[in-house]
Structures are given as C-alpha cells and as structure tokens.
Amino acid sequence: MTLPRDYRGQTCALARSMEIVGERWTLLILRDAFYGVRRFGEFAAHLGVPRAVLTDRLTTLTDAGVLERRPGTGTGRREVYGLTPKGVALWPAVRALTAWGEEFHPADGGPRRVFLHAGDEAPLDAGGRCTGCGTAVPVADVVVAPGPGLAPATPDDDPVTAALARPHRLLRPLLRPPLTTAPPGRPTRGPQR
C-alpha cells in the first residue's frame, strides 16, 4: 500500500512542511543543493537515488517553490536546479539535522564533512555560530570542508564526491559545465571540472 503524500487531519505547520520535505531522499537532495549540486545527473550519481524517485522529488520541490529549474549552459538540454529564497530558508533545519546526527549517531572516525565560517575558517557550532568570532553565520558564508571521517578519494568517486574532497562555499555551483562544445547530436567527451 502506498502512503499518501499528505497528512490528512493534521493542520499544523509541521505537517504542511513534511508534505514538501518529508519524503525519503528529499532532505539529501536539499543538502546537495546547498553544496552546489545543480544538474539532475549529478544528484543521481552522488545520491544513488533511482531516477524516477529523483524526478518525483525534484518536481515536488520545484512545484513548492523550494527549487527553481532553469536552462543551464553547455550543450544539449541541460537544465539546472537552484535553491530559491524559500529553499535557502531551510538551511537552519538542514544544519540542525546534520548536527543532531553527528551528536547522536556519529560516524566512525568523526564527521565526513564539517562546516566552517568563510570569514575566519573557524568551525560552526551546532547552532550555526562561528566558534572563532561568535557570529551567527549566514548560509552564503558557510564553507563545507572534508572532516576527519571522510574516506580517502578513489578513482571510482562520482564527480560530486570528488569535488567535496576540497573546501567549498555553500550555494555556489560545485561543478562547472563542460568547457568544450560539440556539434549538435555529438556528445561532449572528457571529465567535468
């Protein structure tokens, strides 16, 4: 039996929020959008989510105004997704759930990724404040960096995983489109940068 998407009989704001962000994979898609993942194929490769599920979740987030879809640069039909102001407003929830997971369900070896203040490179505390200067750090000034629990890179890493092995400011595109252009109907070859 398929569960309904809505919470019939529940009229609170949390239930309405869960109708948009509460399905499996949705918060991980949002996390990756904050990291700067923009293209369908990048989400699919990094998350390992079935393509039909990814399509459904991206449609839900776009229809709800959390993500926007727009034409990308490069060859072919390549649309990109970006967080809207409504989506960016979810950062405190994504950050808090990540901090909760690190505290109560930590990975062996420590966190895979840590959040730093771009201004002074000090770590953020669980509440999103810089441990160096005490500032409440807005999402645009947060850097995601490899943590002590991040496994060493391998040649089989997808492009998103490989890019996240280096510090990166949130909300900025993580991967660039291919720099070469091919004639229509002919695929572009070579790695993404």
Side-chain angles (χ1 to χ4, degrees), residues 144-156:
V144 60
L150 186 66
T154 70
D156 295 330

Side-chain angles (χ1 to χ4, degrees), residues 5 18-23 26 53-67:
R5 288 181 182 244
M18 293 298 290
E19 289 173 0
I20 298 167
V21 301
E23 290 191 273
T26 301
V53 172
L54 180 58
T55 298
D56 179 70
R57 300 307 185 266
L58 289 170
T59 299
T60 297
L61 291 168
T62 302
D63 289 349
V66 173
L67 293 177

Side-chain angles (χ1 to χ4, degrees), residues 1-2 17 23 34-35 41-42 50 56 67 83 89 96-97 116-117 119 121 133 146 151-152 154 167 169 174 183:
M1 179 173 132
T2 303
S17 299
E23 290 191 273
F34 280 105
Y35 287 170
E42 295 165 2
D56 179 70
L67 293 177
L83 289 159
L97 284 168
L116 309 173
H117 181 196
E121 298 182 4
C133 68
T154 70
R169 194 178 279 224
L174 184 62

Side-chain angles (χ1 to χ4, degrees), residues 93-107 111 126:
V94 172
R95 187 198 68 244
L97 284 168
T98 301
W100 184 87
E102 292 297 347
E103 182 174 348
F104 295 107
H105 300 281

